[in-house]
Amino acid sequence: MTHPLLRGMTAGDAVLLALLLLAAGGSVAAGLWRMTPGDIVVVEVQGRAVQTMSLLQPSRTSIRGARGELIVEVREGRAAVISADCPNHVCVRTGWRSRAGDVVVCVPNRVIVRILGKPEEGIRAITG
Amino acid sequence: MKSLTTPKQVARVGFLTSVGIALFVLESLVPLPVPFLKLGFANISSVVTLELLGGPPMFLVVILRVVAGSLLTGALFTPGFVLAVSGGLASACSMAVVHRLGGRLFSAVGISLVGATTHVVTQLLVVRALFVQNEGVMVLLPVLLLSGIVGGLTVGWISLRLLEALRRGGIT
């Protein structure tokens, strides 16, 4: 006999609730992953990784894009495209990015600057 | 509209709409840190209408409630109104679909859960598309989903008890 409070509910309700809680938990985990600071910067031109830099070491790198030159600067654990040969400079206006999963994109140059983290460090940060 | 052929049905839609408006206005009086983080008690009127009268009358109840409720709270044609309309219509659609296809699989609780989560996700997407053009708003998703689940459960449970009481009283 079911508890009077649960009267009228179905097994479908319980399955649905479990699935929704799982989705909520997943979105929390995804959120935490987004919060983790990045470790490396990968620059892709036309889908191919052409350059990898550490986020921890300051650097200034010139990248040949599909249309012209871009300069990617890394400083204080953040990365940004500081100048680019493109009409709208969306990539430059994106500004400084530091978290794992962040991207800076320059569409005319077919350039994607990705910031990646080390997954094991992210997990350590959660349990710690 | 098939379900609105008798005076009794018209009276019921009118009554359920007014209950929904009252709940909508009452809940808007409760101060909250984030304006869209609420349990959605007004949805009790949609769930009960869906179970008692079916899909089309529920759409009527939802549309009338959102317009009249926003008129009363002074939110008509504000961003909050846009969110209430989009969230309300999307959740009404999802609940109608689940009610139609789900058969006896879900009770009012399952239907309300579907409606509430659809409501919050739709609102977040509308905010993302119209008001804050930044991925950053997506950090709100976990909070909104959880509030949707809590609200959906609460509203569904109340609706279930209400439907039970109505059935006992011979109203089906």
Side-chain angles (χ1 to χ4, degrees), chain A residues 66-82:
Chain A
R67 189 193 155 99
E69 190 194 34
L70 287 87
I71 295 174
V72 178
E73 185 168 333
V74 176
R75 183 151 48 88
E76 292 157 19
R78 304 178 303 164
V81 174
I82 55 166

Side-chain angles (χ1 to χ4, degrees), chain B residues 13-14 17-18 20-21 57-71:
Chain B
V13 167
T17 304
S18 57
I21 294 169
M58 175 196 55
F59 275 95
L60 202 56
V61 166
V62 168
I63 293 164
L64 290 172
R65 178 183 77 219
V66 170
V67 173
S70 302
L71 197 62

Side-chain angles (χ1 to χ4, degrees), chain B:
Chain B
M1 203 177 286
K2 205 169 153 226
S3 317
L4 278 184
T5 44
T6 66
K8 195 166 100 178
Q9 304 284 28
V10 176
R12 282 182 177 177
V13 167
F15 179 72
L16 286 160
T17 304
S18 57
V19 170
I21 294 169
L23 288 171
F24 185 94
V25 174
L26 281 176
E27 199 172 10
S28 74
L29 297 177
V30 181
L32 283 167
V34 191
F36 40 83
L37 207 65
K38 55 182 200 177
L39 290 179
F41 283 118
N43 204 37
I44 294 169
S45 70
S46 328
V47 176
V48 170
T49 309
L50 181 62
E51 292 272 352
L52 281 183
L53 305 173
M58 175 196 55
F59 275 95
L60 202 56
V61 166
V62 168
I63 293 164
L64 290 172
R65 178 183 77 219
V66 170
V67 173
S70 302
L71 197 62
L72 287 169
T73 56
L76 200 62
F77 305 127
T78 63
F81 175 72
V82 176
L83 289 179
V85 170
S86 52
L89 286 180
S91 84
C93 289
S94 67
M95 291 193 295
V97 167
V98 169
H99 181 72
R100 188 72 182 258
L101 302 180
R104 300 251 58 88
L105 187 59
F106 301 113
S107 72
V109 174
I111 288 171
S112 164
L113 272 172
V114 169
T117 44
T118 306
H119 194 268
V120 293
V121 171
T122 305
Q123 291 201 326
L124 190 58
L125 292 176
V126 170
V127 167
R128 166 77 181 83
L130 296 182
F131 305 128
V132 190
Q133 265 98 9
N134 191 308
E135 280 301 326
V137 294
M138 287 300 159
V139 301
L140 286 173
L141 184 64
V143 184
L144 287 174
L145 261 184
L146 282 173
S147 86
I149 292 170
V150 173
L153 267 182
T154 314
V155 163
W157 187 82
I158 295 172
S159 305
L160 195 61
R161 295 285 83 90
L162 206 58
L163 285 161
E164 197 181 65
L166 287 172
R167 233 170 265 131
R168 252 202 319 270
I171 298 168
T172 47

Side-chain angles (χ1 to χ4, degrees), chain A residues 45 50 62-70 85 109 111:
Chain A
V45 181
V50 296
S62 170
I63 304 292
R64 272 227 75 77
R67 189 193 155 99
E69 190 194 34
L70 287 87
D85 241 344
N109 277 304
V111 169

